[in-house]
Each structure stands twice: as structure tokens, then as C-alpha cells.
Amino acid sequence: FLSWQQESDDTWTNPEPTDIQRGFTAFMSTSLLAVDDEHRILQIIRFAGEEAGCEVRLASSPKQFMTILQERHPDIIVMDIIMPDMDGLELLTWIKNQSCHAPVILISGYDDMYLTTAKEFGSIMDQREIRTIRKPFRVDDMVEKIRDLTSSR
């Protein structure tokens, strides 16, 4: 409260956000959880998510993703559908079993058949909303998809 400054009789401003304001902003932001086995792709997703105003958490394996999701269900999920140990269809089933209904952005560097099949499977599994994007993708395209999902919440 020490940083508040009086501009007029009834107007006060705080030029520096306080810890409370920073915490409230973080609390109110959209959470995004991404899983991909490619570190470079995860960093691009982090940048895109932060650009879209999200609090971003990253997982480099399905197992790590599962641990993070059990701690807190995200508002948006971005996931690769072809990964070692577990594919996207198995992971979509697991997400459904966790009663997590966050919209999902599926990504893949393989042909569109994989994305189409996974999207249809997710719809059957009652996932609220599923979008797809093919690797390599432009950061702007990912930002746009994330913003579309945050505005539809």
C-alpha cells in the first residue's frame, strides 16, 4: 500500500502492481498444460500460451503430464498425439477418466489422418472441444487457437 499515490481528492493510483495484484492476476489467468516429447515444440507452445495470456505448464512425457493434471485440471490442454510410451488416443481416454473436460488442441507432425482420427475419438469420448494443428505450425496460429478457446470459456 505504500506505493499508492494520490492524484486528486478522490483518485489514487498504484504505479507498481503489488504482490497481491500479481497473485490475483495469476489466479485469474487461464491455465494451459502441454505435453510433447519434443523440447523445441514445448518451448514454442510455452511462448504461444504466454502470448495468449495463459499460465503455462509443460510436460515432456505422458507420465509427467498425468502427474501435473492430477494436481490441478487445466483450462486448456495442448498435446502431441504421437509420443513414446502412450499415444494421444490413450491419453484422451485417461483424461476423460479423470473427469477433466478441458478443451484440447491436438498436434501432430504426421499426416492429417492421425489428427482427424484423434479429433473424432475425442468427440466420442465427450471431450468438450477439440482443435487440431499440424506440425510444423506458426506461433501465430497456435496463439489464435488458444485465444479462441479462452474466449469461448
Side-chain angles (χ1 to χ4, degrees):
F1 295 107
L2 297 176
S3 63
W4 285 83
Q5 299 170 351
Q6 189 171 11
E7 290 184 352
S8 66
D9 288 337
D10 57 25
T11 306
W12 289 76
T13 60
N14 183 6
E16 296 291 322
T18 65
D19 289 339
I20 293 171
Q21 289 169 319
R22 279 190 217 89
F24 184 73
T25 301
F27 175 75
M28 293 302 293
S29 69
T30 301
S31 62
L32 182 147
L33 175 56
V35 58
D36 197 305
D37 57 319
E38 295 180 58
H39 178 74
R40 181 180 54 85
I41 297 295
L42 283 176
Q43 295 312 311
I44 293 169
I45 294 168
R46 175 191 299 277
F47 180 80
E50 289 174 350
E51 185 71 21
C54 295
E55 169 197 340
V56 179
R57 296 191 72 188
L58 303 175
S60 58
S61 70
K63 183 178 179 179
Q64 185 182 24
F65 172 88
M66 295 162 92
T67 299
I68 294 170
L69 187 130
Q70 287 176 322
E71 293 170 6
R72 177 177 165 216
H73 286 190
D75 298 311
I76 298 172
I77 295 170
V78 179
M79 58 180 274
D80 190 2
I81 59 172
I82 306 293
M83 294 178 286
D85 304 325
M86 182 181 281
D87 69 28
L89 300 181
E90 293 172 302
L91 200 51
L92 282 171
T93 302
W94 182 86
I95 291 167
K96 167 75 173 162
N97 291 337
Q98 301 304 304
S99 299
C100 178
H101 300 287
V104 177
I105 300 172
L106 299 170
I107 57 176
S108 178
Y110 292 88
D111 71 39
D112 290 337
M113 180 191 71
Y114 286 96
L115 289 170
T116 302
T117 302
K119 184 175 182 176
E120 289 172 2
F121 182 79
S123 296
I124 291 167
M125 295 298 295
D126 245 359
Q127 207 60 32
R128 217 171 56 188
E129 189 167 356
I130 296 186
R131 306 281 174 95
T132 60
I133 191 166
R134 191 148 189 257
K135 293 181 197 175
F137 53 84
R138 294 184 27 222
V139 173
D140 291 345
D141 293 338
M142 180 62 79
V143 171
E144 182 180 328
K145 287 192 183 293
I146 294 168
R147 284 186 176 149
D148 285 348
L149 291 174
T150 58
S151 66
S152 67
R153 285 182 2 146

